[in-house]
Amino acid sequence: MTTLSQEDDVLVKIPKPWALPDSHASDEAVFLGRRSFLRTAALATAATALPPSLMAAPSLYPARRNEKYELDRPLTEESVAARMNIFDELTLKHDEVWKVAKGFATTPWTIHIGGAVQKHITIDAEELARKLGVEERLYRHRCVEAWSMAVPWTGIPLARLVELAQPLAKAKYLRMVSLASPEKLPGWYASKRVFPYYEALTIAEATNELAMLATGIYGHALPPQHGAPIRLVVPWKYGLKSIKSIVSFQFTTEKPGTFWNDLSPANYTFECNVEPNVPRPWPQTEETVLGTGETRKTLLYNGYAEQVAHLYA
Ligand SMILES: Nc1nc2c(c(=O)[nH]1)N[C@H]1C(S)=C(S)[C@@H](COP(=O)(O)O)O[C@H]1N2
Ligand SMILES: [Mo]
């Protein structure tokens, strides 16, 4: 008798979707094949009447890729993206986040959705992903420190969470808060900043097609250094807006503060859109691509003007 778990993904060596030749058809065959295999296996397990606690739910990964979002550059190597992270609650050393994060337990993980909504919701992060559905998207990511990467995120379109929460008509903003736990996040006292980390978007930004809540990366669940089990991804804004390890979503009528805008209003606006011609603490016209070291010109809205420019007209 075997039960399926995420480890099986590793053992059966499913070809990684981004490593496959660029073919829609082969991607679908792999994903559909994998899904139906899981479904069949789950049914076989169910038939022998194991107690529910011993039955693993089918894996969320790898998820179907949404081919709409195309890159203008190669994907960053997974080992590079996973070893240069910013998660200041853990440590201020970007190249050590992955090591410090190893002990960070992110399941189970309770999320609260509240504020100006029809109905308050308390839900586990994985349950939320199963309920709302996940897909894979290839996005660029641009940090205000002038480096960039391109990664395959798996996640929930954020608009689906807004729809689930049914905000009241007077709700104008969505505020998000990271985990508050000095015990689990050892870097807490290493900086003079006041954690938890918090962020916010307007409802128009939160329901923009690009905004997503990532639960996975490179075809598997997020490792802790990337903000497991659920983090924001808003690729037209500087990376600091993409808040990690979220525990709370609150709909508000007043404009909420944001972590970096409160710390340093002269350097960081509420929006923090990628605007190469507006110098932030550093010049922003160019970026260094992580992994290759290549220098590229930074694009307005990180190249996503088509999807978001109307929000700021
Ligand atoms: N809670 C929290 N979220 C955070 C940060 C942080 O320090 N704490 N850093 C931000 C910054 S500046 C960037 S560039 C991205 C980095 O994400 P990555 O490590 O997955 O590449 O996370 C953002 N989200
Ligand atoms: Mo960043």
Side-chain angles (χ1 to χ4, degrees):
M1 171 64 50
T2 54
T3 52
L4 289 165
S5 70
Q6 224 166 275
E7 285 73 59
D8 292 304
D9 283 345
V10 179
L11 294 178
V12 297
K13 291 244 186 315
I14 302 292
K16 298 203 155 97
W18 54 92
L20 289 172
D22 184 30
S23 146
H24 215 119
S26 69
D27 274 13
E28 283 201 4
V30 170
F31 285 126
L32 295 179
R34 172 70 177 150
R35 284 259 165 258
S36 57
F37 162 72
L38 282 166
R39 218 171 289 125
T40 313
L43 285 176
T45 309
T48 62
L50 269 180
S53 59
L54 291 179
M55 282 172 44
S59 177
L60 288 165
Y61 312 97
R64 281 285 299 278
R65 181 179 299 171
N66 183 335
E67 301 282 350
K68 185 172 174 191
Y69 304 100
E70 290 174 3
L71 293 175
D72 56 353
R73 61 195 71 181
L75 281 172
T76 303
E77 287 287 331
E78 177 170 11
S79 57
V80 171
R83 275 167 176 62
M84 221 304 285
N85 306 95
I86 306 189
F87 201 157
D88 292 347
E89 299 94 311
L90 281 158
T91 168
L92 298 181
K93 295 179 186 145
H94 298 356
D95 59 346
E96 287 185 8
V97 174
W98 66 276
K99 279 189 245 168
V100 180
K102 273 185 178 163
F104 181 24
T106 57
T107 50
W109 186 274
T110 304
I111 291 169
H112 296 279
I113 305 172
V117 294
Q118 297 285 351
K119 204 178 96 199
H120 289 235
I121 298 168
T122 301
I123 190 166
D124 181 77
E126 187 174 332
E127 203 188 325
L128 184 74
R130 289 188 187 284
K131 191 183 175 80
L132 299 181
V134 295
E135 62 184 49
E136 184 178 69
R137 296 185 187 181
L138 311 184
Y139 276 172
R140 292 179 289 275
H141 173 101
R142 171 62 159 79
C143 175
V144 77
E145 291 177 354
W147 52 260
S148 69
M149 57 181 189
V151 296
W153 298 109
T154 301
I156 308 162
L158 181 56
R160 289 188 200 157
L161 179 135
V162 177
E163 198 185 333
L164 175 77
Q166 297 178 54
L168 304 177
K170 65 178 182 184
K172 295 286 179 286
Y173 301 91
L174 174 58
R175 173 177 146 90
M176 289 151 274
V177 185
S178 293
L179 180 71
S181 173
E183 296 76 26
K184 290 186 177 179
L185 301 162
W188 197 274
Y189 299 112
S191 87
K192 299 208 164 60
R193 299 174 197 150
V194 179
F195 292 117
Y197 203 93
Y198 51 96
E199 260 305 334
L201 299 171
T202 64
I203 300 287
E205 291 174 329
T207 53
N208 182 273
E209 60 169 293
L210 289 176
M212 74 192 288
L213 290 172
T215 59
I217 192 168
Y218 294 98
H220 52 69
L222 283 178
Q225 66 268 32
H226 281 300
I230 189 162
R231 60 89 57 84
L232 182 67
V233 175
V234 277
W236 72 96
K237 294 175 177 287
Y238 291 116
L240 59 96
K241 292 288 293 184
S242 290
I243 178 173
K244 295 177 167 181
S245 304
I246 304 170
V247 294
S248 170
F249 295 87
Q250 300 289 315
F251 290 83
T252 72
T253 54
E254 303 296 318
K255 191 176 199 172
T258 62
F259 190 79
W260 281 103
N261 178 241
D262 286 347
L263 273 177
S264 180
N267 291 321
Y268 304 101
T269 60
F270 174 91
E271 286 81 14
C272 259
N273 292 324
V274 176
E275 291 167 314
N277 296 326
V278 180
R280 304 281 178 203
W282 300 270
Q284 296 296 340
T285 50
E286 291 182 336
E287 64 204 53
T288 303
V289 179
L290 282 193
T292 67
E294 180 200 358
T295 301
R296 294 187 72 114
K297 276 212 172 332
T298 292
L299 304 170
L300 179 63
Y301 303 127
N302 201 21
Y304 296 104
E306 188 190 325
Q307 289 90 351
V308 302
H310 69 274
L311 295 172
Y312 313 104

